[in-house]
Amino acid sequence: MSFTRVLIANRGEIARRIQRGCRKLGLETVAVFSEADRDAPFVIEADHAVCIGGAAPSESYLNVDAILDGAGAVHPGYGFLSENAGFAAAVEAAGLVFIGPEPGAIAMMGSKIEAKAAAEAAGVPVLPGYRGTDQSDARLLEEARALGTPLLVKASAGGGGRGMRLVTDLADAPEAIASARSEAKGAFGDAAVFLERYAPRARHVEVQVLGDSHGTLLHLGDRDCSLQRNHQKLIEEAPAADLPEDLRDDMRAAAVRLAQSIDYRSAGTVEYLYDPSRGEYYFLEMNTRLQVEHPVTEAITGIDLVEWQLRIARGEPLALTQGDVQFDGHAIEIRIAAENPDENFRPETGEISLWAPPAGVRLDTGVEAGSVVSHHYDSMIAKLIVHAPDRAGAIRQAVVAMDAFAVGGVGLNLAYQRALLTHPDFAAFRHHTSGLPEMFSGGWSEPSADPRDMALAAMALHLHLAPAGASPWESLGSWRLTAPAGWPGAASYWATTKDDQIRVNGSGSVLTAVQPDGQAITVESAALAECRLSGRFDGVPFSRIAYVVRAPSHWRVHLQTPAGMTATDLRTLEDQHLQRATGGSGVADLLSAPMPGAVAEVRVALGDRVKAGDTLVVLEAMKLLQSLPAPVAGVVTEIYCAPGDTVAGHAPLIKLDPEENT
């Protein structure tokens, strides 16, 4: 099992993380990459790099034959092929070392039905339900009636919420079973489902295990991952807070028992649902790979999980006992995603023009300045990890770090994550896996910008638009006309807050002028008489700048404030003219792609009459399906796309003849 070179069958931040572990042990690394990732940091930093196909995952990161060509040992990371038993078996059949558990263990835990049976056999509590092989409608409906509501229909081969349906009324059970089967078949190639009782206010608690091939198996403590949206984790912490100590000990011991019962080796995670109202926990699933949230366990234990995965794969015994595992302080991880939470978490794509993360904290990231965020892959681009003596200190440290994070070119979810961290329910342990609607009962939106923030936003945009090394006073807007003539001139921006437009002299928005004044900038607007500001956007960002993003008809500037992150929409003089030029027939009757992506569905035909808000096109981007609604009521007059097409951001998709004209 000796090897000196590791092929990393993954991309982004986890590929870089595995590269660091390999360098620690003096191992060479091989990066496999798609055409879309040719210039990505993980490719550049590898000792060797091989292009294995096109941008689509099916052509590259899921292409088993291409990955195995020329490999030594293979580390799968997480996602893609990491829990594919067939891939692990193919690695071993090729005479290579798979850095992970045995294929048999992956297969057993990959079936939720088999995994729960194994958990029961190991004496691990499971939720009441039906996991039988009889998949007939009659049997499933009979078991649903016996179980009662609320219940979940879940895909046996599923994960991440796909193939899962909640049933609160037995009359809805037939449709829930049918739709869960259909989604499971499409997503995983396996239509088998099972039923289990739904715990409505449960927390998600998991235990990290680590085993070698010599019979030693340890737990490395627990984590809480209860802050979730659509069954996707947002924030993780270690240890799990506010657990009864006897129950914590039981969870850890049960995880070790289960892993021992299947002769597990490498790093793995046993996940539970914890029901505080009953004081009970139940086995959920076992992940037979490295978890996204593994850094918080590393922070509180000081144990490098990737290093030990590599050592175990080489046949080395664990050099520590359970008593050697000590826990220090509290750690929190924030998943940083390229998405806009203020617009229903719409994915963001584009080139990162500025990347200035906070100092003094761990940041696992797959991007840097100049990186392109593509629609082909997951929207998570980084993980921010903090470690403090206690939970309150870790929360404070995370908030400070997020407030110091500066990014240009692509919007991030930092404002939303900050709102979660500072929410009273999170501080008081009232959060649970389905608790976001309770935490933000009226929906969540970014804090509004005040006049000073509008002025800061105008300055940030002005500096962002200035060509590198050029004087903005001679290169932008009206400067081109006035500066050569010896007039001081000014550049004008029209600012609009998302809550409502502030009307100034009937113009419909705040007019903000940026004027030159030596090394500083004076911003004048009707809302703010005069604001003298100094600083630079690129290079060393002035305090509170977050990022600048281009939208179809305006720019959006995000700023850090004591209340969180604010967003200001700004239009340049050119944007104003373009808006007027297209105002008549304009963009209101045209559905455009909000981002690059693949057209999954076109739900209308020429001549169809639609209502405003009806879904016209379903776009797939960053592993998410986006339903694109009709901007106005009317009749479909042009269709510019078809299922399977790849479209650019802002590309026209559907043209409507508005209802008032029909």
Side-chain angles (χ1 to χ4, degrees):
M1 287 188 289
S2 177
F3 54 86
T4 59
R5 178 180 293 186
V6 176
L7 182 146
I8 303 166
N10 221 296
R11 64 179 299 278
E13 62 89 11
I14 188 57
R16 296 179 87 185
R17 168 69 187 93
I18 295 167
Q19 287 172 353
R20 293 199 303 271
C22 289
R23 285 194 292 270
K24 191 173 181 180
L25 295 179
L27 300 171
E28 289 185 69
T29 59
V30 180
V32 293
F33 63 93
S34 72
E35 290 289 353
D37 282 335
R38 182 173 295 276
D39 298 319
F42 80 91
V43 177
I44 296 169
E45 294 166 4
D47 296 306
H48 311 276
V50 180
C51 181
I52 55 172
S58 60
E59 300 173 6
S60 50
Y61 298 109
L62 295 175
N63 186 337
V64 174
D65 292 338
I67 288 173
L68 293 183
D69 185 24
V74 178
H75 196 305
Y78 52 69
F80 293 128
L81 295 167
S82 62
E83 290 183 288
N84 186 312
F87 175 63
V91 170
E92 295 186 352
L96 311 174
V97 177
F98 182 73
I99 301 172
E102 297 285 346
I106 297 174
M108 179 181 292
M109 292 297 110
S111 164
K112 302 300 184 288
I113 292 175
E114 288 189 45
K116 288 180 185 291
E120 280 187 303
V124 182
V126 298
L127 280 163
Y130 172 71
R131 296 179 294 277
T133 57
D134 185 349
Q135 290 283 303
S136 66
D137 288 351
R139 182 60 185 275
L140 288 169
L141 290 173
E142 177 187 344
E143 295 292 343
R145 286 190 291 270
L147 184 60
T149 56
L151 65 88
L152 286 172
V153 183
K154 302 176 74 173
S156 176
R162 304 196 77 174
M164 182 187 299
R165 298 294 185 273
L166 173 63
V167 178
T168 57
D169 186 333
L170 285 174
D172 299 328
E175 171 58 27
I177 291 169
S179 60
R181 276 177 171 159
S182 177
E183 185 173 11
K185 180 66 175 176
F188 312 113
D190 183 351
V193 298
F194 64 97
L195 311 177
E196 68 181 16
R197 188 178 73 198
Y198 175 60
R201 300 183 64 83
R203 283 171 56 191
H204 184 120
V205 177
E206 56 191 36
V207 175
Q208 177 74 58
V209 295
L210 186 65
D212 62 20
S213 55
H214 302 274
T216 300
L217 207 145
L218 312 172
H219 75 76
L220 303 185
D222 44 73
R223 304 184 285 255
D224 186 293
C225 311
S226 299
L227 283 175
Q228 300 179 10
R229 177 181 170 272
N230 294 339
H231 308 286
Q232 299 294 320
K233 299 167 187 174
L234 299 172
I235 293 174
E236 300 101 346
E237 57 182 321
D242 198 37
L243 281 183
E245 288 305 312
D246 58 343
L247 185 136
R248 187 193 306 274
D249 292 341
D250 283 349
M251 283 183 170
R252 293 173 172 178
V256 171
R257 275 199 316 276
L258 175 58
Q260 287 174 330
S261 73
I262 60 172
D263 297 323
Y264 193 81
R265 74 177 188 201
S266 194
T269 300
V270 177
E271 301 194 344
Y272 301 108
L273 285 179
Y274 164 51
D275 188 344
S277 66
R278 294 172 177 263
E280 298 174 348
Y281 70 93
Y282 314 98
F283 173 77
L284 184 62
E285 64 180 349
M286 183 175 185
N287 286 298
T288 53
R289 55 172 169 80
L290 195 68
Q291 291 279 88
V292 175
E293 57 269 25
H294 77 275
V296 292
T297 294
E298 293 182 328
I300 65 169
T301 62
I303 295 171
D304 187 322
L305 282 167
V306 172
E307 176 187 351
W308 274 108
Q309 280 190 302
L310 295 167
R311 290 184 180 277
I312 290 167
R314 292 198 304 197
E316 296 181 29
L318 281 167
L320 63 162
T321 66
Q322 190 64 66
D324 296 326
V325 180
Q326 300 296 311
F327 305 105
D328 174 37
H330 200 92
I332 292 177
E333 174 181 285
I334 296 97
R335 298 192 185 195
I336 299 173
E339 61 187 17
N340 185 348
D342 206 37
E343 295 183 11
N344 197 29
F345 296 87
R346 177 175 60 80
E348 296 267 355
T349 59
E351 181 176 339
I352 296 176
S353 59
L354 169 67
W355 185 255
V361 296
R362 175 174 172 177
L363 187 78
D364 287 8
T365 179
V367 300
E368 56 190 19
S371 294
V372 175
V373 179
S374 165
H375 70 277
H376 294 289
Y377 311 115
D378 191 280
S379 62
M380 190 186 79
I381 60 173
K383 303 178 309 194
L384 177 69
I385 304 100
V386 298
H387 183 214
D390 55 30
R391 186 173 189 260
I395 292 173
R396 288 193 299 271
Q397 191 178 123
V399 170
V400 169
M402 284 192 288
D403 286 350
F405 213 124
V407 178
V410 176
L412 303 181
N413 65 338
L414 286 170
Y416 184 75
Q417 297 287 60
R418 188 188 194 279
L420 288 175
L421 274 180
T422 57
H423 197 283
D425 284 0
F426 185 66
F429 315 111
R430 292 191 297 266
H431 62 296
H432 53 90
T433 55
S434 54
L436 295 187
E438 297 176 13
M439 296 173 74
F440 305 113
S441 57
W444 182 85
S445 60
E446 289 175 304
S448 299
D450 63 20
R452 178 177 171 82
D453 289 333
M454 288 185 185
L456 281 167
M459 185 183 91
L461 178 60
H462 196 73
L463 293 174
H464 177 73
L465 294 174
S471 167
W473 324 124
E474 297 179 355
S475 59
L476 290 174
S478 60
W479 305 117
R480 286 192 292 265
L481 301 176
T482 59
W487 302 335
S492 297
Y493 300 91
W494 287 261
T496 304
T497 64
K498 60 181 177 54
D499 291 333
D500 52 34
Q501 292 185 333
I502 303 173
R503 305 192 72 84
V504 179
N505 298 327
S507 67
S509 57
V510 176
L511 174 63
T512 303
V514 182
Q515 300 184 2
D517 183 14
Q519 298 301 307
I521 296 175
T522 299
V523 178
E524 294 182 352
S525 70
L528 187 69
E530 183 177 288
C531 178
R532 289 178 58 83
L533 305 166
S534 299
R536 288 172 290 167
F537 175 74
D538 291 315
V540 182
F542 58 83
S543 66
R544 306 203 299 171
I545 182 63
Y547 44 84
V548 176
V549 181
R550 180 61 172 165
S553 61
H554 63 275
W555 292 86
R556 171 163 283 199
V557 181
H558 298 254
L559 298 171
Q560 301 284 11
T561 75
M565 205 175 287
T566 67
T568 300
D569 290 341
L570 292 165
R571 293 196 307 275
T572 63
L573 188 62
E574 288 82 359
D575 289 333
Q576 285 282 84
H577 287 314
L578 286 172
Q579 186 180 51
R580 290 178 185 135
T582 60
S585 60
V587 294
D589 56 1
L590 181 68
L591 176 67
S592 300
M595 73 208 80
V599 177
E601 295 180 60
V602 176
R603 294 190 178 178
V604 292
L606 289 175
D608 283 357
R609 185 179 296 276
V610 300
K611 300 189 296 291
D614 285 354
T615 296
L616 305 185
V617 174
V618 178
L619 192 70
E620 183 174 3
M622 292 182 167
K623 297 170 65 177
L624 298 173
L625 294 175
Q626 302 284 312
S627 295
L628 306 184
V632 295
V635 174
V636 176
T637 59
E638 299 285 349
I639 299 177
Y640 304 111
C641 62
D645 287 355
T646 298
V647 296
H650 315 315
L653 303 177
I654 304 288
K655 182 75 163 57
L656 298 172
D657 186 7
E659 193 169 58
E660 58 268 24
N661 296 332
T662 62

